[in-house]
Amino acid sequence: MESNTTNRKQILVVDDELSILRLLTFILSADYDLVIKKSGIEAISWLEEGNDPNLIISDLMMPYFDGSTLIRNLKISGLYRDTPVILLSGAEDLEDKVKNMPFKIDSYLEKPFNPVILKSKIAQLIN
C-alpha cells in the first residue's frame, strides 16, 4: 500500500549546523515533509514566497539572523502568529532565554536532544 504524501505535515527546519540538519532529516523525513534552510534569511525568503509550514523548528543561535530574530519577525508579521515553533539550542540558559522572549515559543529543546522527545513535541503541536 502506497503512503499518501498529500496529507503529510510540512516542517520548516532552520539551522546552520549540517550535522543537526542531517539528524533532523533522518529522524523526521519518514513522517513529515521537511523544508531545510541554513539561515533565518533563507527561511524568510522561502516564507515570503507564500509557503506556509505546519511547524517551524529553528536553532536559536545562528550567524547574521538568529532564531530569535526569525521568530520575532514571523510573529510580528501576523501571517505566522499561530504557526507552532520549536527552538533548538546548545545554550545552557535556554529556559531563561525562552521565558524572556517577547513572543510565544511553543516548545524548546537543548542540544543534544532526545529524538523521541522531539517527535513527541511535534506530534502534540501539529497532529
Side-chain angles (χ1 to χ4, degrees):
M1 179 175 192
E2 287 186 34
S3 65
N4 185 354
T5 59
T6 59
N7 293 328
R8 288 167 49 110
K9 304 286 185 172
Q10 185 178 64
I11 299 175
L12 171 60
V13 177
V14 188
D15 201 307
D16 61 324
E17 291 182 54
L18 185 57
S19 60
I20 295 296
L21 294 174
R22 285 182 177 159
L23 178 61
L24 290 170
T25 299
F26 179 76
I27 294 168
L28 302 175
S29 63
D31 300 314
Y32 302 99
D33 289 333
L34 301 181
V35 175
I36 305 294
K37 299 297 174 188
K38 295 179 184 172
S39 73
I41 294 169
E42 285 183 18
I44 289 288
S45 294
W46 181 80
L47 291 164
E48 286 178 344
E49 293 171 0
N51 295 296
D52 189 16
N54 298 99
L55 175 86
I56 299 170
I57 298 174
S58 179
D59 185 13
L60 181 60
M61 296 183 289
M62 295 180 286
Y64 310 113
F65 199 90
D66 65 9
S68 177
T69 304
L70 169 66
I71 302 307
R72 182 178 64 244
N73 281 304
L74 295 179
K75 297 299 182 179
I76 289 171
S77 78
L79 296 173
Y80 304 98
R81 180 177 298 137
D82 297 325
T83 303
V85 173
I86 298 176
L87 276 181
L88 300 178
S89 181
E92 294 176 12
D93 56 348
L94 181 58
E95 184 175 0
D96 291 334
K97 286 183 180 186
V98 168
K99 285 180 183 176
N100 292 323
M101 289 182 178
F103 46 84
K104 180 184 174 199
I105 298 296
D106 299 281
S107 193
Y108 60 91
L109 287 171
E110 290 183 22
K111 294 178 186 177
F113 56 88
N114 181 326
V116 174
I117 293 173
L118 175 62
K119 289 179 89 170
S120 173
K121 286 179 181 281
I122 292 169
Q124 290 171 2
L125 291 170
I126 65 171
N127 290 333

